[in-house]
Amino acid sequence: MGQDCLMRITALAGGVGGARFLRGLRDALDADPVLAQSEITIIANTGDDITLFGLRVSPDVDTLLYTLGGGISERQGWGRDEDTRQVMGELAAYGVGPQWFGLGDKDLGTHIARSLWLGEGATPSEITTRLAQRWGLPERGLRLLPMSDQPVETHVIVTRPEGPEAIHFQQWWVGEGAATPAERFAAVGLDRAVAAPGVLDAIREADIVLLPPSNPIVSIGIILGVSGVRDALRGTPAPVVGVSPIISGKPVRGHADTCLEVVGVEASARGVAGLYADFLDGWLVDPQDAGQPAPAGVRWTPRAYDAPLLMGDRAGAARLARAALDLALEVGSATPAGVGGA
Amino acid sequence: MGQDCLMRITALAGGVGGARFLRGLRDALDADPVLAQSEITIIANTGDDITLFGLRVSPDVDTLLYTLGGGISERQGWGRDEDTRQVMGELAAYGVGPQWFGLGDKDLGTHIARSLWLGEGATPSEITTRLAQRWGLPERGLRLLPMSDQPVETHVIVTRPEGPEAIHFQQWWVGEGAATPAERFAAVGLDRAVAAPGVLDAIREADIVLLPPSNPIVSIGIILGVSGVRDALRGTPAPVVGVSPIISGKPVRGHADTCLEVVGVEASARGVAGLYADFLDGWLVDPQDAGQPAPAGVRWTPRAYDAPLLMGDRAGAARLARAALDLALEVGSATPAGVGGA
């Protein structure tokens, strides 16, 4: 491999898990004298987007911005560092809900800016570019793209005593802790959503495509539903490597197992790999899951990580991301120009 | 005067001066065992309203709400007590302006609620009622009405080196400290503004009408321009008594003298009284201005207050409001039912 190798890495990502993995990836690249100039293009799920208090909130995009830009609340994993809740307190006093989605004051600054720009006619892509500039992403070789400029909102059809009800994914996930029995998900608007500018090219022209341990149904799964994305993944010459979000049947974070259950997929590393089988070239799993066979029809076997498949702290995330990167370099059948074998 | 006399007092008001005067009036009434049950209807100027960061701000209504409801920043005279500036800091970091209108986080809670409700189709009247409930105004005998449900925005045509420019009143007043030479004011939308529900009846059916020492041009003057308001004041049987916002040629607060200059009216207690001459029945002035004659054509002489015409602290405002009230009771030619002479 030559010096100053500019590798183009593209990743699909949801919120907290994706953001921590990608911060780790950036750290891993920065620590590598050969790969430090590499660029990461992130295709963010926007199916979690929600309008709260008349303001447009894009939770996964914001978590990615704050985590990669150094403004995240490390304790929560989402929202801003050292934030306050003055605005929410006032809204509660005025009887304005919902109160289950805790928006800090600094965080609201982002939502107010986004809503203002949307009102002025800017697209989510343009807005994400503006927000990313403030967070210093471009100069660190990080390009953040929303999956689509069309609004997509994942709803959950839950089972209430009085019958089924469709609620916003965030209400189910945050407001009800994903504890209310769900019948199915409905990604409202997804059938009309086209990929945002740059998204398909980022997959087609990547040297490596990575799937962080994001939720396979409501994060990665929604991105895969955007017109053209799945075909681009199937057709890209780049190796596509994923990291399992499930360890021994349990999600690393969040309620991915519940989501898999809702759609009738086994909550296992193998179950998730099966959802990606048509385009996946490599799959990093926890040592506990090393014995599971690959999904039917694939030519690879899952690769066991050499430690529990957890990110832990920032250094641990960098180590995991490096392992996924190395697996991709290893399985890459179509070696990109300038990137020789190890 | 009988016990438990319910007097209906209606006042036109701008922001800080009007709010402090009316808090004083409420205090004065509360301290009077006979008049404590009296009700005050406040007709608020909404010509200062402005959309900032995509949120609708109604500065005079908010100053009245916060002052009367116990949430005002006493130091500033406007905005919320113990507020923070987290949101504005973020907006600045995103390059979103303007920054000259300092909105605190708590204050923004009000603007977010208002904007949300406007988006849901509520009128400014309905929204003001909701906001006033949170601030406990109804149970204290305070009814707050916006002058109109139609948007009115006072603009200022300023003189720039490169020629005249129309800017929002708030930009001139707050952003430029009213220091930029102004040619004239233009109340955009005022010619189409009809009085909000209850406004004209509150004037017609009042026992007393008071004009606090608010700005005669950009606060009271705008309210007077709403269709029907001036006629209602001319026709009401209630005595109409005002408090001069000018002492010896200088405004008590703000830039009323500059505003008067722009419209070519003498910056004096007499000059202001002349603007109200067609409906005014009494005029309270500073002892320094006692020698000034009444405007041409009126049958009354200005009444000198027995101290400097300043509100000072809350007790001072109550004392001044009581003096205006007493003057109104004295000059009231059409004595309302239930209110006998002193």
Side-chain angles (χ1 to χ4, degrees):
Chain A
M1 197 180 293
Q3 276 200 319
D4 294 336
C5 168
L6 193 160
M7 200 157 49
R8 294 160 300 176
I9 303 170
T10 295
L12 277 52
V16 182
R20 286 180 171 171
F21 177 87
L22 292 166
R23 181 172 62 179
L25 179 63
R26 184 69 263 171
D27 287 347
L29 292 169
D30 290 347
D32 185 320
V34 176
L35 296 177
Q37 299 303 312
S38 297
E39 290 177 355
I40 308 173
T41 297
I42 303 160
I43 301 167
N45 171 42
T46 55
D48 289 9
D49 289 10
I50 186 168
T51 300
L52 290 168
F53 319 119
L55 301 170
R56 193 68 178 161
V57 181
S58 194
D60 287 356
V61 168
D62 291 343
T63 297
L64 286 158
L65 285 168
Y66 301 159
T67 304
L68 296 167
I72 196 77
S73 163
E74 296 288 348
R75 188 181 54 77
Q76 293 181 143
W78 52 272
R80 290 295 312 281
D81 54 330
E82 292 169 31
D83 213 344
T84 45
R85 291 275 175 95
Q86 297 257 57
V87 173
M88 285 286 284
E90 291 303 302
L91 291 171
Y94 285 124
V96 172
Q99 288 294 315
W100 48 256
F101 202 98
L103 295 177
D105 296 324
K106 288 186 187 175
D107 197 14
L108 275 159
T110 304
H111 313 319
I112 292 172
R114 171 181 290 116
S115 303
L116 173 68
W117 291 331
L118 281 172
E120 290 173 353
T123 64
S125 290
E126 291 163 349
I127 291 168
T128 303
T129 298
R130 291 184 206 175
L131 297 172
Q133 272 163 357
R134 178 260 167 108
W135 289 108
L137 268 53
E139 54 262 45
R140 297 187 52 227
L142 295 163
R143 191 162 66 119
L144 183 58
L145 308 176
M147 65 184 196
S148 175
D149 280 338
Q150 278 81 48
V152 176
E153 282 198 359
T154 305
H155 289 196
V156 187
I157 290 79
V158 296
T159 311
R160 305 268 193 225
E162 60 276 17
E165 184 191 358
I167 60 176
H168 193 286
F169 170 74
Q170 294 289 355
Q171 186 183 336
W172 182 69
W173 187 265
V174 179
E176 307 183 7
T180 312
E183 292 178 16
R184 61 186 175 87
F185 298 104
V188 179
L190 189 56
D191 54 339
R192 293 184 302 278
V194 299
V199 163
L200 299 182
D201 283 346
I203 297 171
R204 291 179 190 133
E205 296 166 9
D207 296 314
I208 283 175
V209 176
L210 295 178
L211 303 186
S214 290
N215 189 303
I217 307 302
V218 295
S219 296
I220 304 285
I222 300 296
I223 305 174
L224 294 177
V226 174
S227 178
V229 169
R230 190 160 207 125
D231 283 344
L233 285 163
R234 285 180 184 138
T236 184
V240 182
V241 163
V243 178
S244 175
I246 302 281
I247 299 175
S248 192
K250 296 286 171 208
V252 174
R253 185 190 164 95
H255 319 285
D257 51 341
T258 310
C259 293
L260 287 161
E261 212 169 273
V262 170
V263 300
V265 170
E266 185 187 271
S268 67
R270 182 172 188 267
V272 177
L275 295 169
Y276 306 149
D278 53 327
F279 57 78
L280 207 60
D281 299 305
W283 188 233
L284 197 62
V285 301
D286 186 86
Q288 293 182 67
D289 297 322
Q292 292 179 15
V298 306
R299 286 170 298 173
W300 44 265
T301 52
R303 174 69 53 91
Y305 189 45
D306 62 7
L309 198 72
L310 297 165
M311 290 189 271
D313 60 6
R314 187 163 171 170
R319 202 171 158 274
L320 177 63
R322 180 74 219 198
L325 181 69
D326 287 340
L327 178 57
L329 289 169
E330 183 187 326
V331 304
S333 53
T335 305
V339 181
Chain B
M1 197 179 293
Q3 277 199 318
D4 293 337
C5 170
L6 192 160
M7 200 156 51
R8 293 160 301 176
I9 303 169
T10 295
L12 278 52
V16 183
R20 287 181 170 168
F21 177 87
L22 292 167
R23 181 172 61 179
L25 179 63
R26 183 70 265 173
D27 287 346
L29 292 169
D30 291 347
D32 184 322
V34 177
L35 296 177
Q37 299 301 314
S38 297
E39 291 176 352
I40 308 173
T41 298
I42 302 159
I43 301 167
N45 170 43
T46 56
D48 289 9
D49 290 10
I50 186 167
T51 300
L52 290 168
F53 318 118
L55 301 171
R56 193 67 178 163
V57 181
S58 194
D60 286 357
V61 168
D62 291 342
T63 297
L64 286 158
L65 285 168
Y66 301 159
T67 304
L68 296 167
I72 196 79
S73 162
E74 297 288 347
R75 188 181 53 77
Q76 293 181 145
W78 51 271
R80 290 295 312 282
D81 54 331
E82 292 170 31
D83 213 344
T84 45
R85 291 275 174 94
Q86 297 257 57
V87 173
M88 286 285 285
E90 290 304 302
L91 291 171
Y94 285 124
V96 172
Q99 288 293 317
W100 48 257
F101 202 98
L103 296 177
D105 297 323
K106 289 186 187 176
D107 197 14
L108 274 159
T110 303
H111 313 319
I112 292 172
R114 170 181 291 115
S115 303
L116 173 68
W117 291 331
L118 281 172
E120 291 173 352
T123 64
S125 291
E126 291 162 350
I127 290 167
T128 303
T129 298
R130 290 185 207 176
L131 297 173
Q133 272 163 357
R134 179 261 166 106
W135 289 106
L137 268 53
E139 55 262 45
R140 298 187 51 227
L142 294 163
R143 192 163 64 119
L144 183 60
L145 307 176
M147 64 183 197
S148 174
D149 281 338
Q150 278 81 48
V152 176
E153 282 197 359
T154 304
H155 289 195
V156 187
I157 291 78
V158 296
T159 311
R160 305 266 192 226
E162 60 275 20
E165 184 192 359
I167 59 176
H168 193 286
F169 170 73
Q170 294 290 357
Q171 186 185 336
W172 182 69
W173 187 263
V174 179
E176 307 183 6
T180 312
E183 292 178 16
R184 61 186 176 88
F185 299 104
V188 180
L190 189 57
D191 54 340
R192 293 182 303 277
V194 298
V199 163
L200 298 183
D201 283 348
I203 297 171
R204 291 177 188 132
E205 297 167 8
D207 296 316
I208 283 173
V209 176
L210 295 179
L211 303 186
S214 291
N215 189 304
I217 306 302
V218 295
S219 296
I220 305 285
I222 300 295
I223 305 174
L224 293 176
V226 174
S227 177
V229 168
R230 191 161 206 125
D231 283 344
L233 286 163
R234 285 180 183 137
T236 184
V240 182
V241 164
V243 178
S244 175
I246 302 281
I247 299 176
S248 192
K250 297 283 172 211
V252 173
R253 186 190 164 94
H255 320 285
D257 51 340
T258 309
C259 294
L260 287 161
E261 212 170 90
V262 170
V263 300
V265 170
E266 186 187 87
S268 68
R270 181 173 189 267
V272 177
L275 296 169
Y276 306 149
D278 52 329
F279 56 78
L280 207 60
D281 300 305
W283 188 233
L284 197 62
V285 301
D286 186 86
Q288 293 182 66
D289 298 320
Q292 291 179 14
V298 307
R299 287 169 299 171
W300 45 264
T301 52
R303 174 70 53 92
Y305 189 46
D306 61 8
L309 198 72
L310 297 165
M311 290 190 270
D313 62 6
R314 188 163 170 170
R319 201 171 158 275
L320 177 63
R322 180 75 220 198
L325 182 68
D326 287 341
L327 178 58
L329 288 169
E330 183 186 326
V331 304
S333 52
T335 306
V339 182

